[in-house]
Amino acid sequence: MSDTPETILAQALEEIAACSDAGALKAVERSYVGKDGRTAKMLASIPSLPPEERPAAGKNANILKKQVLEALAARSAQLDSASLAEAREGGDFDATLPGSKALRGSLHPITQMIRNVEEVFCSMGYQVLDGPEVELDHYNFEALNFPPDHPAREEYDTFWCEGQGDLLLRTHTSPVQVRAMERLSPPIRAIAPGRVFRHEDQDATHEHTFHQVEGLVIDRGIHVGHLIGTLKSFLRERFERELEVRLRPGFFPFVEPGFELDVRCPFCTSGCRVCSKTTWVEFCGCGMVHPNVLRAGNIDPEEYTGFAFGFGLDRLVMLKYGIDDIRHFMGGDLRFMEQF
Amino acid sequence: MLVSYRWLGRHVDLTGVTPQALADLLTLSTAEVEGIEPFAPHLNDVRVGLVEARAAHPDADKLGVCTVQLDGSGKDEPLQIVCGAPNVAAGQRVAVATVGTRLPGDIKIKKSKIRGVESRGMICSVRELELGEEHDGIWVLPESAQIGQPVASALGLDDWVLEIDNKSLTHRPDCWGHRGLAREIAVLLQRELRPLVQPKIETGSAKATAVQIETPGCPRYMALEVDGARPLPSPAWLRFLLLAVGQRPVDQLVDLSNFVMLDLGQPTHVFDRAGLSPEGIRVRQARATETLTTLDGEPRKLQESDLLICNGERPIALAGVMGGESSKVTEDSSKLLLEVANFAPVAVRRTAMRLGLRTDASARFEKSLDPNLTVEALTSFAAELKALQPDVLFPSAPADAGDWQDPSCSIALRPERARAVLGADISDGDMQAILERLGFVVQTRGTTFAVQVPSWRATKDISIEEDLIEEIGRIHRYDRIPEQALYGAIAPPPRDRRRETVHRTQDRLAGAARFHEVLTYSFHSDRLIELFGIGDQPHVKLVNPVAEGEGRIRRSVLPSVLALLEKNRRRYDDVRLFEIGKGYLPEDAGERGEPRQVHQIALAWATPPPPKKARFDAARFGELQGVLDDLFRSLDLAPHCWGALGEGQLPGWAHPHKHLAAHFAGLETPVAILADLEPGLARRLGLSGELASDVAVAEVSLDLLIEAPRSEGGYRPIPKFPGIKVDVAVLVDNRRPAGEVAEAIRKAGKGAVAELELFDLYRGDSVGAGKKSLAYHVLLQSENKTLTDQDSQKFLGRLERQLQGLDGELRKG
């Protein structure tokens, strides 16, 4: 036997030092201290030694095994920290490479605004109602206190349908008011977003098809202060800050008194394009529900009062994103849609 | 409506009130002021000059060389100005635009040489200053104009024009003249409304023109005969008031008629009496066979609903809308008849609308004018005319016919109710004061006010208690009402399945499925209807479409979504669009004639066609089917099955073979139809050539989705024992549906097939002609034990036998 424990150890240490990864270390470990490794063989050969040599041989083999294992552990730790250090290197990292493109669809910005509005009002206990776009004159005008030949009808540039003369495309979301009163009994807190139509020529700021949200609250003791409080709460949530509002007279046959609500321009402090340099932006038409409308909805105006409001959604979306042409909303161009 | 600040000042003292402050007051309490503009601002730059001398131009007969002094003290050097006007003469005061001044029409005055003579300004004509049409000479100013002053202040023409939103005056007939607005302003400023000066008109003793009213459409008709009036130009004060509110001065008769209307809100009309027969005036409804040529020269076909002013039988004016050509006042007219009447709003409005003749007069009549106003207007017109033309005579007292009644009425107001509705603590005394300032008469009866409404407010605007509450609120000012949070018991709103379904669908499609939501018009163009070949289906039609050929309301949402594919495919390879919208079916009308509304989801997915060697599942059809499967699952619906469409249910947009319908238990009609786009339609939609596309399309009924059965539970315990994966490849006849093979595999598994996935489908020479190979990943799993190789061998044995029944075999290797 030419190999002494010393030479084996020297050989092992050399091989261990040459290992550059965990796999190589495993191989060295197997060949020296494994089941069939060199130290195992040394121990296995002990019984063939003269008895007096056996204790020393056993001791030497165990010392050798221990030394090899220690060297392996040390080298392993060394390799570990080296690989960690390497992992922490910057390498060819390029901070300017683009992230891979996440593929996504989109919700129409009007949908998103409707949801946003619904969320705020639902949190205040409102329910969301829906109404037909092809509507009866009764709900769009008559029950809203526009008798036939009322001059205010004309301001609504109505699309009329052929046939019995009683069908039209709803000019506002207000028909949902009487529909709601017929279906629900007070207390009522409801909003009704949806598509409305006016016979208008199209340009960058005019569409014949656009979107509104109607609001209706009916209960005992409802007054103008509640209307102001409600719309202020909504604006506070929508614009995430306190915005001054002002109520001024406005004429709509279905409310009495009727108002226009202006909001202090959220985009400037001293006049800008949005507010036409007035610092006020017209936000919505509103008022106390006219007794004739309550009666049309089978509600006793002596017992209940209510307020109603209606505002356009398209302009809110245009202001939010700075969209300069209202026609994009119905244009179906992916280059527009995918931005939302 | 345009309103002059100076004009308002004739009725109420505006000292110390700026035009802006006035606008704010009106906006917050009466009507929206949309804009304020200075009147003729260039009159502040043009100055009064004195023509000291006029000499002939050495080189031009028609030109004069004027020496014009612009310094009142005469210290400054006068200007030399070349002027071609024939009427310029030494000693005149004239309007001078000096070098650098800008005049209307973007004209800037420059120093120039005219035929060799230097000219340092311009002596202006009325037209050059946009103050009228006259341009036959320069504008000669009165002697009183102070030299050197701006023309505006020298002539007292400083004015501001307020534009009031007409819509906010729809219900205020009393505010369609300066005096009515001044009445409001007086209330708001707590100042006095100056009394209207109504001098007594001296009339002769001749018999007045007979007036006979034969229709309820004319409650009151006053007529005054006028002799000797001439169409002279109006004086400056009148011209400038009219100019400020955008009225072109014509002559004294026209101008006074306009002045009275804009001042008091009451339209008037002047006839040439010479052409009228002694039968006098008849007011009646028109007959359907009649025509009348109006002042603008247009022959108008009349209807029975039109109100006519006639002379005997002969129509001479369209009441409240426009006069007739035949009785038009001309330069030679000297005997006139002034009409000041009250007409029924509905009749005037209908006629004006039908004929497209919306005049200043008709706009006022249709608001319901106070019949008392005719006396004030007639007196005002006559008095002003007499003042301008003292020779004018009124041979007879005014005729005054009609069975009008004073509209004044009394309304009970409960101050407590007013406080409750307004949410403002306004005392009874304050309410009474507000109402009285507005001209109401208030009597207290216990806790109630009996409120007498003045006639000018009673025709339309104020008829119920709420109207009085509005008066109190707006004068108190709505912006002083404190905000208050809503309170009260509110039950949580009932579950809204429709909205829930819409939201989840939107989220699912725009999310994992990566579809883009679009909104398209509810109108379908004739072209689109033709492309889809659905012209024979009933549509709700519009009487007045936005454009020719855009007059039908969609029955379904899909066509307009598909119409978007071409333009988007030009820019994108992968186009996925959906819309949730409504269609209308007129053949299925409700009790009151309203068409049935269908709520739908339309989906379209277009990509370039897959390459020949693409994977078997690379087609859009299968992927869109997957999207719908996922959608139904995310809506918690009970399992559905894909199957055939019933007889006659195949829509025109669907491929005649490549289509499927999604059926749910308990619903007769399929909830969704999925198809490849019909190839002919695809071409007609422009998806051909380089835009040729693989297009899968689906139409889902949202109404049925809401009705579809929901799944209960659906949780499967996590398996306790590991399963084994087996891949099998099956060779069958090409026409054998894959569903039958899958069924055979499930049967062979005896309930142990936990997952089954087709991962390859191959047709080609290596499997033989008319054959196909279907390859599946199968996961076998038991709830009771760990399956072994032996179990999978048994499974394969059973499968071989199953396949024999399908004339198929298991591929080895």
Side-chain angles (χ1 to χ4, degrees), chain B residues 518 520 554 557-565 577-579 602-604:
Chain B
V518 295
T520 63
R554 63 185 180 184
V557 179
L558 194 57
S560 44
V561 174
L562 291 177
L564 297 173
L565 290 177
L577 305 176
F578 79 99
E579 176 172 6
L603 298 103

Side-chain angles (χ1 to χ4, degrees), chain B residues 209-210 272-281 310-314 316 337:
Chain B
T209 298
D272 183 352
R273 211 165 85 239
L276 301 186
S277 74
E279 291 161 291
I281 296 293
C310 302
N311 173 222
E313 256 316 282
R314 183 171 62 99
I316 54 170
L337 186 71

Side-chain angles (χ1 to χ4, degrees), chain B residues 363-402:
Chain B
R364 285 171 174 78
F365 283 119
E366 70 174 37
K367 306 290 183 299
S368 300
L369 293 179
D370 176 7
N372 289 299
L373 200 50
T374 54
V375 178
E376 286 176 7
L378 184 135
T379 309
S380 173
F381 187 105
E384 294 292 356
L385 182 60
K386 185 81 183 172
L388 294 175
Q389 300 186 28
D391 301 343
V392 161
L393 292 174
F394 307 111
S396 54
D400 185 358

Side-chain angles (χ1 to χ4, degrees), chain B residues 96 99 414 516 594 804:
Chain B
V96 179
V99 172
R414 295 162 292 175
H516 294 276
E594 68 273 34
Q804 280 162 19

Side-chain angles (χ1 to χ4, degrees), chain B residues 476-752:
Chain B
H476 173 76
R477 288 258 298 255
Y478 298 128
D479 61 339
R480 288 170 55 199
I481 295 176
E483 67 175 294
Q484 195 166 102
L486 265 187
Y487 57 88
I490 277 282
R495 185 161 178 190
D496 184 346
R497 193 134 255 172
R498 181 173 302 271
R499 190 164 151 260
E500 231 175 69
T501 305
V502 168
H503 283 195
R504 283 211 212 171
T505 301
Q506 286 169 333
D507 287 340
R508 205 65 199 164
L509 293 179
R514 290 161 40 197
F515 274 65
H516 294 276
E517 187 187 29
V518 295
L519 297 175
T520 63
Y521 292 118
S522 303
F523 318 113
H524 274 171
S525 69
D526 288 353
R527 190 182 152 267
L528 196 62
I529 284 175
E530 195 185 316
L531 283 181
F532 278 79
I534 50 175
D536 54 340
Q537 295 178 358
H539 284 86
V540 176
K541 289 186 186 138
L542 293 178
V543 178
N544 53 341
V546 71
E548 183 70 28
E550 301 278 342
R552 282 183 272 195
I553 303 296
R554 63 185 180 184
R555 295 174 56 86
S556 66
V557 179
L558 194 57
S560 44
V561 174
L562 291 177
L564 297 173
L565 290 177
E566 188 218 48
K567 74 169 180 186
N568 284 308
R569 270 283 287 114
R570 282 189 188 285
R571 301 198 178 87
Y572 294 85
D573 272 348
D574 188 331
V575 177
R576 308 180 200 191
L577 305 176
F578 79 99
E579 176 172 6
I580 300 181
K582 292 165 178 172
Y584 291 88
L585 314 180
E587 71 275 22
D588 201 356
E591 267 171 36
R592 288 178 287 186
E594 68 273 34
R596 185 157 78 89
Q597 172 179 288
V598 291
H599 206 167
Q600 297 176 329
I601 309 163
L603 298 103
W605 189 348
T607 61
K612 282 258 181 305
K613 297 223 161 160
R615 266 177 63 91
F616 74 97
D617 55 359
R620 294 287 77 80
F621 185 94
E623 296 209 51
L624 187 56
Q625 189 179 7
V627 166
L628 292 174
D629 286 334
D630 170 72
L631 173 64
F632 297 152
R633 210 179 62 174
S634 68
L635 291 171
D636 293 332
L637 300 186
H640 58 284
C641 68
W642 289 101
L645 273 170
E647 193 72 31
Q649 283 183 336
L650 184 71
W653 45 262
H655 190 287
H657 299 291
K658 299 177 182 175
H659 62 257
L660 282 174
H663 297 278
F664 284 85
L667 292 179
E668 270 179 38
T669 320
V671 166
I673 298 174
L674 161 72
D676 263 5
L677 184 57
E678 201 281 314
L681 178 58
R683 275 177 211 178
R684 293 197 295 280
L685 288 169
L687 299 169
S688 59
E690 59 176 9
L691 291 185
S693 303
D694 179 11
V695 188
V697 175
E699 187 174 79
V700 184
S701 163
L702 196 78
D703 304 306
L704 289 174
L705 269 189
I706 293 161
E707 280 178 41
R710 313 272 136 177
S711 72
E712 303 289 335
Y715 165 75
R716 278 182 310 153
I718 293 163
K720 290 196 183 73
F721 302 96
I724 34 176
K725 288 180 180 161
V726 188
D727 283 356
V728 298
V730 174
L731 196 64
V732 288
D733 188 275
N734 194 19
R735 281 162 305 178
R736 177 74 62 191
E740 293 182 16
V741 175
E743 194 49 38
I745 295 172
R746 289 188 193 281
K747 274 189 188 163
K750 286 189 158 179

Side-chain angles (χ1 to χ4, degrees), chain B residues 452-473:
Chain B
Q452 187 70 29
V453 183
S455 64
W456 63 86
R457 298 301 306 277
T459 52
K460 177 150 151 203
D461 183 22
I462 299 209
S463 56
I464 57 173
E465 187 179 26
E466 278 71 13
D467 298 327
L468 294 174
I469 295 175
E470 176 169 69
E471 294 301 302
I472 293 163

